[in-house]
Amino acid sequence: MEYSPKKMQNVLDNNNFHFKKNFGQNFIIDENLINSIITKSEIDKETLVIEIGPGAGSLTTKLALVAKQVLCYEIDKDLESILKENIKSSNVDIIFGDFLKCNVLPDIEKYEYNKLYVVANLPYYITTPIIMKLIEDKIPVDKIVVMVQKEVGDRFKAEPNSKDYGSLSIFLQYYFNIRKLIDVSRNVFIPKPNVD
């Protein structure tokens, strides 16, 4: 299914969906951005993808085309009917619950895969707790591809002696090789966030 702002808005309106600020909901509506995320993630048919916060499923639909299996965690139960309408792939499972409270290791045990990737469009307020959970719960992730607020991304990859360098940079760089893939405009989301 191709996503455009109008089509996305129609699906949301038809389901009487209202964005919830407390969940940091900003849904991707740009097909080119979705394709770029898919390409740069280098997912293949041996990959289990964990998507945190599928929203209305615009990225999920494309992930399902390239991955062996997609396991989504969605905190907002109001999106259940929208996700059922938008996602018809048999290789997508959705757990409705708070990812931070879920026990992920037993959830992924039922899948056979050679690579485990996390792909997500993360709200600012929950970015660090999610990455910390992946580390602390010893989830055997091979790659994490996340869209984060530009300033947060700058802190993730900051070099020593730069203004963005700090304890978060040191901690994450201990565990991961971090690189920026693309800059994303605020104009490719609904509702439009205040940051790129």
Side-chain angles (χ1 to χ4, degrees):
M1 175 188 288
E2 186 175 318
Y3 284 81
S4 68
K6 189 174 182 182
K7 285 181 187 175
M8 174 76 79
Q9 196 63 59
N10 285 342
V11 170
L12 297 172
D13 290 344
N14 291 341
N15 286 275
N16 296 314
F17 180 79
H18 301 285
F19 288 94
K20 297 170 187 70
K21 208 169 192 170
N22 60 317
F23 290 154
Q25 292 174 328
N26 301 96
F27 297 168
I28 303 170
I29 54 170
D30 184 85
E31 191 80 9
N32 292 325
L33 172 60
I34 292 167
N35 290 334
S36 181
I37 292 168
I38 297 295
T39 302
K40 291 178 185 298
S41 298
E42 300 173 328
I43 297 161
D44 62 27
K45 289 297 181 184
E46 300 198 341
T47 310
L48 167 62
V49 175
I50 295 174
E51 184 184 12
I52 302 160
S58 56
L59 179 59
T60 316
T61 304
K62 292 284 184 141
L63 288 169
L65 295 175
V66 295
K68 181 169 188 176
Q69 191 76 34
V70 182
L71 174 60
C72 301
Y73 290 87
E74 177 53 62
I75 195 169
D76 189 353
K77 289 192 169 79
D78 289 347
L79 287 164
E80 190 166 359
S81 59
I82 293 168
L83 286 165
K84 282 183 179 169
E85 183 180 330
N86 286 344
I87 299 172
K88 307 292 185 199
S89 304
S90 60
N91 65 333
V92 176
D93 294 322
I94 303 170
I95 294 173
F96 285 92
D98 183 346
F99 177 77
L100 293 176
K101 295 178 181 170
C102 289
N103 194 348
V104 178
L105 289 172
D107 293 342
I108 62 175
E109 275 179 5
K110 68 178 186 175
Y111 301 106
E112 288 185 25
Y113 58 90
N114 288 329
K115 294 178 273 190
L116 177 62
Y117 291 0
V118 172
V119 179
N121 170 26
L122 298 178
Y124 170 76
Y125 77 98
I126 204 166
T127 299
T128 303
I130 283 176
I131 293 172
M132 296 294 287
K133 177 180 176 65
L134 294 170
I135 294 167
E136 290 169 357
D137 289 2
K138 296 182 171 52
I139 299 166
V141 174
D142 295 293
K143 184 186 288 190
I144 301 172
V145 180
V146 288
M147 185 156 20
V148 298
Q149 182 176 327
K150 186 177 185 306
E151 291 76 12
V152 174
D154 289 343
R155 283 203 296 277
F156 283 4
K157 65 176 187 56
E159 299 288 331
N161 301 317
S162 67
K163 68 177 179 65
D164 293 319
Y165 192 70
S167 58
L168 182 62
S169 317
I170 296 166
F171 180 77
L172 292 179
Q173 290 173 29
Y174 175 80
Y175 288 98
F176 304 107
N177 295 318
I178 299 172
R179 62 188 177 103
K180 177 169 78 171
L181 296 177
I182 49 175
D183 285 315
V184 178
S185 165
R186 65 192 73 187
N187 297 315
V188 298
F189 301 93
I190 57 170
K192 184 164 77 170
N194 296 323
V195 296
D196 293 323

